[in-house]
């Protein structure tokens, strides 16, 4: 791991909120992550980019313990992730997660999806949880959909409810696992807009994404993955305009970026 | 050959009592076998080897032997081994409940397994415990998904309760058979029995069809 904060890293601190240290993860004999070290500081938006299967989602899932690591460790707020289920639960309460396939609870209304965490996990009185949930649904632009079931919502609306559900726990960081990859092109923008607003409010975010425009405009720090390794990391401007590694250049050129950082074709909007 | 249908009307009180017993047995059996089935399914899916083994043994025994044998066994063998004598009703209810629990266990297990992993992960990511994930996320969806199957099991059970007549539980089948033996009005009583079972079973079957239509293939 880097002991000295990288130059230009705005939120760099001596004590990152999340620190992955030489994390190894195997699926059978397949090495999904090979000694990966990444840090996330408070207030920072860190984007994980790279080809499919490069390990970025796996690392994200290691951060909140949905995957256990086979080597190295993950520190949250300075402490290693607990192995005891009851302790891990307390750490997870401080981290939100947004999934590629939304994973809203289909048997609950949008409102109930947002209140279930505060009520069941935090022990909040239902009336108070409802007030909080209504405010959050309003914030993601879905105040009028509180009573709707997920099946009656578009993908973009479902994902915005999922973001509200994560926010309802008042987490210190939100992990986004390809939040727009399952969306129709016309609804991607509405989700990215909500995410950008969160970033502007200072929410700490780790975003696994294929939306390069978002990574470039909203990200504070970009980490490039390939074949289970971190190829390079840096400021968005450096990664997109002046990539040092050939593998980064290859990846970006496949997406329609070239070394000058100009986009050849639209890759969604931010 | 002359028929005397008056025997049916004359026996209406006894037949009604028998029909009521059939309905009671069906309801009580399901009331036990739904939580029983969930419990067995959870045991079978648990990480504890002993719980898993126990559930598998239970389910496979009751699924793979005839219900009538289980009823006889509970009535004749169990009391001599445990040195307690239950009433015919309690014995019949026990045998039916264990049998249907075994079937329901498999139904629930399939239902639970059909809920995608991302749903549990979403619950865990919120900080829920494993038990909360089951209660809040997995089971409500699984129950809804298996409701059509449970309804089918219900109708089968309604008819299968007639098997407890072999241990002298006064259900509709037993009552009708008793009157038949006393009056020698075989055709009349068997026909009455068929009509009564059908009249009660048909609405249940229709309700099942409706549940299938309402829920089948819906997320």
């Amino acid at each position: 791991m880097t002991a000295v904060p990288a130059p230009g890293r705005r939120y760099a601190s001596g004590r990152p909120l999340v620190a992955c240290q030489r994390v190894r993860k195997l699926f059978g004999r397949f090495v999904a992550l090979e000694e990966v070290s990444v840090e996330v500081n408070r207030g920072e938006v860190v984007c994980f980019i790279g080809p499919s299967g490069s390990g970025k989602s796996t690392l994200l899932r290691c951060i909140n313990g949905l995957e256990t690591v086979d080597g190295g460790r993950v520190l949250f707020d300075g402490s290693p992730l607990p192995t005891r289920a009851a302790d891990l639960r307390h750490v997870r309460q401080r981290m939100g997660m947004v999934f590629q396939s939304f994973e809203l609870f289909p048997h609950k209304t949008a409102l109930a999806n947002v209140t279930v965490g505060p009520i069941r996990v935090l022990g909040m009185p239902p009336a108070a949880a409802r007030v909080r949930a209504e405010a959050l649904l309003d914030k993601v632009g879905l105040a009028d959909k509180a009573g709707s079931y997920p099946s009656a919502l578009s993908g973009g609306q479902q994902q915005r409810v999922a973001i509200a559900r994560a926010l309802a726990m008042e987490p210190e960081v939100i992990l986004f696992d390809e939040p727009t990859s399952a969306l129709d092109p016309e609804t991607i923008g509405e989700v990215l807009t909500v995410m950008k607003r969160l970033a502007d409010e200072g929410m700490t975010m780790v975003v696994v994404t294929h939306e390069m425009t978002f990574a470039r405009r909203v990200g504070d720090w970009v980490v490039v993955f390939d074949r289970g390794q971190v190829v390079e990391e840096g400021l968005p401007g450096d990664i997109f305009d002046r990539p040092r590694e050939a593998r980064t250049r290859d990846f970006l050129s496949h997406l329609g970026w070239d070394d000058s950082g100009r986009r050849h074709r639209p890759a969604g909007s931010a | 050959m002359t028929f005397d249908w008056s025997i049916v009307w004359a026996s209406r009180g006894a037949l009604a009592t028998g029909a009521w017993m059939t309905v009671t047995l069906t309801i009580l059996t399901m009331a036990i076998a739904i939580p029983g089935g969930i419990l067995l399914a959870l045991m079978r899916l648990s990480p504890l080897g002993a719980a898993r083994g126990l559930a598998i043994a239970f389910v496979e025994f009751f699924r793979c032997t005839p219900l009538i044998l289980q009823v006889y066994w509970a009535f004749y063998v169990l009391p001599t081994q445990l040195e307690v004598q239950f009433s015919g009703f309690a014995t019949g209810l026990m045998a039916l409940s264990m049998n249907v629990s075994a079937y329901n266990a498999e139904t629930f297990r399939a239902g639970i397994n059909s809920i995608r992993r991302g749903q549990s992960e979403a619950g865990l990511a919120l900080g829920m415990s494993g038990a909360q994930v089951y209660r809040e996320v997995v089971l409500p969806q699984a129950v809804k998904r298996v409701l059509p199957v449970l309804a089918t099991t219900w109708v089968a059970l309604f008819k299968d309760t007639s098997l407890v007549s072999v241990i002298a539980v006064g259900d509709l089948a037993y009552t009708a058979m008793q009157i038949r033996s006393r009056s020698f009005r075989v055709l009349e009583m068997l026909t009455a029995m068929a009509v009564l079972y059908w009249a009660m079973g048909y609405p249940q079957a229709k309700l099942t069809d409706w549940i299938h239509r309402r829920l089948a293939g819906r997320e």
Side-chain angles (χ1 to χ4, degrees):
Chain A
M1 62 177 286
T2 43
V4 185
R9 195 167 179 177
R10 201 151 57 107
Y11 297 91
S13 65
R15 184 173 168 178
L17 183 58
V18 177
C20 303
Q21 300 177 338
R22 294 193 301 280
V23 168
R24 264 176 71 78
K25 177 68 190 175
L26 309 169
F27 291 113
R29 263 179 301 174
F30 175 72
V31 182
L33 293 171
E34 176 78 68
E35 307 248 320
V36 172
S37 298
V38 171
E39 291 184 353
V40 180
N41 299 294
R42 280 188 195 274
E44 203 170 43
V45 177
V46 176
C47 294
F48 292 179
I49 65 170
S52 298
S54 58
K56 49 198 194 308
S57 284
T58 304
L59 185 67
L60 194 77
R61 293 162 57 81
C62 288
I63 292 175
N64 71 350
L66 285 180
E67 302 287 355
T68 52
V69 300
D70 296 305
R73 58 181 189 165
V74 176
L75 302 182
F76 181 74
D77 203 11
S79 312
L81 276 194
T83 44
R84 256 193 58 204
D87 300 330
L88 181 57
R89 220 156 72 217
H90 286 108
V91 177
R92 281 180 177 150
Q93 290 167 26
R94 300 166 62 191
M95 298 192 253
M97 185 154 189
V98 174
F99 296 83
Q100 180 179 347
S101 46
F102 330 132
E103 301 299 350
L104 288 184
F105 306 130
H107 56 299
K108 293 181 189 291
T109 61
L111 187 82
N113 265 280
V114 182
T115 57
V116 66
I119 294 173
R120 299 292 166 197
V121 178
L122 302 179
M124 203 184 219
R130 194 189 164 95
V131 171
R132 181 185 282 187
E134 280 168 348
L136 287 171
L137 285 175
D138 188 39
K139 182 185 175 120
V140 298
L142 292 171
D144 55 331
K145 299 289 183 187
S148 303
Y149 283 88
S151 55
L153 300 175
S154 74
Q157 290 171 333
Q158 288 189 54
Q159 195 61 299
R160 284 186 282 153
V161 174
I163 292 172
R165 175 175 70 177
L167 287 171
M169 299 294 287
E170 301 194 327
E172 291 164 54
V173 55
I174 301 185
L175 313 174
F176 292 85
D177 189 3
E178 300 197 25
T180 58
S181 296
L183 294 176
D184 297 331
E186 62 264 38
T187 61
I188 289 175
E190 65 191 50
V191 171
L192 292 179
T193 303
V194 168
M195 289 170 62
K196 173 155 191 331
R197 203 175 326 137
L198 285 182
D200 292 343
E201 289 170 8
M203 173 61 74
T204 310
M205 296 161 60
V206 186
V207 187
V208 173
T209 187
H210 292 292
E211 293 295 330
M212 295 304 136
T213 310
F214 178 86
R216 181 177 178 128
R217 294 214 189 127
V218 183
D220 297 303
W221 195 252
V222 176
V223 184
V224 186
F225 286 73
D226 189 34
R227 279 170 267 168
Q229 292 172 319
V230 171
V231 177
E232 68 177 298
E233 55 182 320
L235 296 169
D238 290 335
I239 295 291
F240 289 105
D241 300 344
R242 295 171 289 279
R244 292 187 306 271
E245 299 293 326
R247 282 197 279 173
T248 306
R249 279 195 294 273
D250 280 353
F251 170 67
L252 292 176
S253 68
H254 278 134
L255 290 173
W257 292 78
D258 67 10
D259 291 6
S260 69
R262 288 209 345 267
R263 225 157 25 107
H264 292 174
R265 64 170 179 81
S269 56
Chain B
M1 196 170 175
T2 55
F3 301 131
D4 179 9
W5 293 100
S6 66
I7 183 73
V8 177
W9 182 249
S11 316
R12 63 188 184 278
L15 288 173
T17 311
W20 179 243
M21 174 62 86
T22 292
V23 171
T24 307
L25 264 176
T26 309
I27 292 171
L28 286 181
T29 300
M30 257 314 181
I32 296 170
I34 285 178
I38 292 176
L39 181 71
L40 284 166
L42 291 179
M43 281 170 69
R44 181 132 190 207
L45 293 168
S46 108
L48 296 171
R52 235 176 17 243
L54 213 62
I56 290 173
F58 185 96
V59 168
E60 295 309 334
F61 175 79
F62 282 98
R63 276 207 312 171
C64 303
T65 54
L67 177 54
I68 194 160
L69 173 69
Q70 293 159 18
V71 172
Y72 272 128
W73 199 86
F75 192 66
Y76 291 110
V77 183
L78 209 58
T80 61
Q81 298 307 308
L82 297 177
E83 295 182 6
V84 276
Q85 181 67 59
F86 297 108
S87 68
F89 176 78
T91 309
L93 179 61
M94 194 162 64
L96 285 170
S97 300
M98 291 202 283
N99 181 276
V100 179
S101 292
Y103 278 95
N104 285 354
E106 288 303 280
T107 304
F108 280 118
R109 189 166 68 100
I112 289 168
N113 282 338
S114 77
I115 306 301
R116 17 170 232 282
R117 218 178 84 174
Q119 285 285 302
S120 315
E121 288 181 345
L124 290 174
L126 279 174
M128 288 184 187
S129 65
Q132 283 176 323
V133 167
Y134 261 104
R135 222 174 29 240
E136 289 291 327
V137 179
V138 178
L139 280 180
Q141 294 183 61
V143 167
K144 200 169 160 191
R145 201 165 283 186
V146 302
L147 211 54
V149 185
L150 289 179
T152 305
T153 306
W154 172 282
V155 175
L157 164 67
F158 168 74
K159 293 175 292 177
D160 286 347
T161 54
S162 59
L163 286 170
V164 300
S165 62
V166 299
I167 56 170
V169 177
D171 74 327
L172 178 57
Y174 180 80
T175 308
M177 297 298 194
Q178 286 295 104
I179 298 167
R180 179 200 64 172
S181 322
R182 278 202 312 271
S183 63
F184 303 108
R185 289 286 159 201
V186 178
L187 185 141
E188 289 86 342
M189 286 318 295
L190 289 182
T191 306
M193 191 172 140
V195 168
L196 284 171
Y197 268 110
W198 186 87
M200 291 193 292
Y202 184 73
Q204 297 179 43
K206 286 288 117 185
L207 185 66
T208 306
D209 290 347
W210 181 77
I211 292 172
H212 275 267
R213 274 200 308 277
R214 273 297 304 275
L215 294 175
R218 246 186 31 177
E219 255 302 278

